[in-house]
Amino acid sequence: MTATLTAPTQVKKPGKPKQNREAILLFLPALLPVLILSVYPLIRGIALGFTDARAGLHVETNFVGFDNFSKLLHNNLFWDSFRIGVIWTLSVTILQFVAALGLALLLNTDIKFRGVARTLALIPWAMPPVVVAIMWRLLLHPTNGPVNEILQNLHLTDHPINFLGNFSTALPAVIVVGIWVGMPMTTVTLLAGLQGIDRTLYEAAAVDGAGAWSQFWNITLPQLRTVIVAITSLDMIWNFNSFGLVYVLTAGGPGGKTMLPMLFAYNEAFRYGNFGMAAAMGDVMVVIIILFLFFYLRNRLRSEA
Amino acid sequence: MRTRPTTRALQYIAVLAYLIFLGFPLLWLISSSLKSPREFASVTPSILPKHVDFSNYTDALNEQGLVRGLGNSLQISVYSTILVLIVALPVSYALARFRSRLRPLTNGWILVSQVFPVILIVIPLFMILRPLHLTNTIPGVVIVYMVWSLPFALWMLQGYVAAVPRELEEAASVDGASRLRTIVSIVMPLLRPGLIATAMFTFISAWNEFFFALVLLQDPQLKTLPLVLARFVGAEGQVQFGPLAAASVLATVPSLVFFAFLQRRLTSGLLSGAVKG
């Protein structure tokens, strides 16, 4: 892209109208499907939140203003699921980041087994979320799962724990799986960032007598800042909007303890048929994400300036 | 600077911990898929199967729904990949080469499509596709996948296009080649690695996709592999974990093949797309 910006041909004025026409021609095959199946549904989806739309073919739909939102305000189940969604998003994103940064730092040294670790770190990314969920259900199975077996052998517990079925352990267990799935993308991105840091910075710091810790704190982290902000923002969005993994792991149970907002809205729309209400929930989610990103990015960017 | 022995030791302990955390679940899944039903039911499970037994795989492949799911997934993934490439190539060329007003719009759309929760999109999509009789059909899912893997495909491909030296195209146009001719015979051959990488990502995202399929496909005949697998788990009680593990391994194979192929390029190629895009 830098080439495009600096290329002298771009500056020439006379070429422009023709270029624009050519560009539009090249866009044409994508335009129609994107408008019909992406742009229009997005706008329609936002608008649906202000209607009483229901599933079914010949149901009348009325504009109801902020009715859905005032109902949501008093819907404790929705706010519960929202709270769970925030806990899930923040825990997974933060722990994922810490774990991935540790792994990326290790992979950036001359340590052995780097190749193996790198390959293993990529596999979770390639697996279908449904398969990941099935795999962890096998691992955490109360009677013949290995995790319980190991815990009992180490005498950490005297009875098998039903991790995904207990009120107190379900959410933490699901968070661990979330970290496992999301680590690869974060690790790869951070590793690429690490490899882009100028080595002479470290050499200069070493000459000045800076230890490993101070080098990490004063060189690595500031140099990585842009990459960190970008990947944590993306992780946050992805985690907040995630669905398939938890749907197969627990389906929101036990007793709604892992009912992420996406699962809640899905049930509202496709189990109970309340399209309008589900869209209103989606609207609230969008507003929250945008507000969150706004404050997060604003603070990050300000501290950078 | 020399690394001190204690630091070294700590580093190896940390690597070992990561290897176990990342690798053990996979090892367990594969070993479960190779255990006989008797061994599976054992109260003291062993990490590796005592006797390697492939009956889980034959059981899984004898399951009607599973093979059909595999076929449906394959069909949907291949078609949507082809469509994405056809549509994404000209657009990413235009994005990388022209400074038209459509560029900021497209980049804005790519961003927005990442931020929005799919629940907001899936309801209207369902309402649009139903009167067209495209819900519960394979073409319906294919076009939805096409549109929804497009942002990522564009983001990747435009980086690759930008890396193709502009001088080559200028030389071709001096020789009198039209724009279309230049794209087909100069740019496309040079883009081959980029096209392959984009195709693989599109294929995998369609292969792994769950949410849209869950909403759009109700007919058991049309269900994709992830849907079939998810239903197996749902039927707790009589669920047979051995064949389920085997089917899960089979479902992961295509992705693993692609990732093995991509592995070297992943760190450099994917992110160069990001930086240059």
Side-chain angles (χ1 to χ4, degrees), chain A residues 1-5 7 9-10 16 19-20 22-24 26-27 29-31 33-34 36-42 44-46 48 53 55-57 98-103 106 109-113 115-131 134-139 141 143-146 149-150 176 179-180 183 185 188-189 191-192 195 206 210 212 215 234 237-238 241 243-244 247-248 262 265-266 269-270 275 278-279 282-283 285-286 289-290 293, chain B residues 1 3 8 10-12 14-15 18-26 28-29 32 40-45 86-87 90-91 93-103 106 109 112-131 143-144 146-148 150 152 155 158 162-163 166 170 179-180 183 201 204 207-211 214-215 225-227 229-230 233-234 236 241 244-245 247-249 251-252 255-256 259 263-264 266-267 270-271 275-277:
Chain A
M1 201 53 67
T2 39
T4 329
L5 292 172
T9 44
Q10 286 310 130
K16 268 230 151 155
Q19 273 211 351
N20 255 334
E22 266 192 307
I24 289 168
L26 290 167
F27 270 90
L31 215 54
V34 166
I36 297 178
L37 295 173
S38 174
V39 175
Y40 172 72
L42 269 177
R44 179 84 188 274
I46 296 171
L48 266 181
L57 265 177
V98 173
L101 182 62
L103 182 57
L106 282 171
T109 61
D110 54 350
I111 202 164
K112 276 179 204 140
F113 309 115
V116 190
R118 208 170 79 156
T119 310
L120 275 181
L122 284 177
I123 291 176
W125 192 5
M127 292 174 83
V130 172
V131 168
I134 291 173
M135 186 178 74
W136 280 91
R137 284 181 64 143
L138 289 175
L139 285 163
H141 198 274
T143 51
N144 42 25
E149 175 74 10
I150 292 166
V176 170
I179 297 167
W180 191 87
M183 256 182 73
M185 184 68 171
V188 168
T189 313
L191 183 59
Q195 285 166 348
Q215 287 184 17
L234 279 175
I237 297 168
W238 287 332
N241 289 340
F243 176 84
Y247 181 83
V248 179
M262 267 292 286
Y266 169 81
F270 295 101
F275 282 176
D283 286 340
M285 287 167 70
V286 173
I289 293 175
I290 290 173
L293 281 181
Chain B
M1 195 174 67
T3 317
R8 252 290 109 102
L10 285 175
Q11 282 179 339
Y12 276 105
V15 166
Y18 276 114
L19 287 180
I20 292 173
F21 178 60
L22 290 167
F24 181 73
L26 299 166
W28 187 260
L29 180 70
S32 300
F40 213 96
S42 148
V43 215
T44 50
I86 293 174
V87 171
V91 177
Y93 179 84
L95 283 175
R97 285 291 193 250
F98 302 131
R99 300 192 63 195
S100 92
R101 227 162 284 148
L102 287 168
R103 204 166 85 183
T106 314
W109 168 70
V112 166
S113 67
Q114 293 294 306
V115 176
F116 270 64
V118 271
I119 188 77
L120 265 187
I121 295 129
V122 84
I123 300 172
L125 258 184
F126 187 77
M127 294 165 87
I128 294 165
L129 293 176
R130 198 173 36 186
I143 53 171
V144 169
M146 184 212 44
V147 169
W148 286 98
L150 205 53
F152 196 76
W155 181 67
Q158 61 173 308
R166 187 180 279 272
E170 279 159 11
R179 176 77 71 180
L180 188 70
I183 295 180
F201 271 100
I204 298 297
W207 180 266
N208 291 352
E209 208 282 335
F210 181 68
F211 185 70
L214 180 71
V215 172
L225 194 55
L227 293 180
L229 288 174
V233 193
E236 188 100 56
F241 278 122
L244 187 61
S248 301
V249 173
T252 312
S255 322
L256 286 188
F259 267 70
Q263 220 239 323
R264 299 227 158 261
L266 211 55
T267 20
L270 174 67
L271 285 147
V275 173
K276 286 173 189 152

Side-chain angles (χ1 to χ4, degrees), chain B residues 47 52 66 69 75 140 156-157 174 184 198:
Chain B
I47 292 183
V52 172
L66 213 87
Q75 218 182 337
M156 268 181 89
L157 255 186
V174 168
V184 172
T198 312

Side-chain angles (χ1 to χ4, degrees), chain B residues 204-238:
Chain B
I204 298 297
S205 58
W207 180 266
N208 291 352
E209 208 282 335
F210 181 68
F211 185 70
F212 284 129
L214 180 71
V215 172
L216 294 175
L217 296 171
Q218 261 88 44
D219 186 346
Q221 302 281 330
L222 297 176
K223 289 206 189 283
T224 57
L225 194 55
L227 293 180
V228 176
L229 288 174
R231 223 195 19 203
F232 269 120
V233 193
E236 188 100 56
Q238 67 271 44

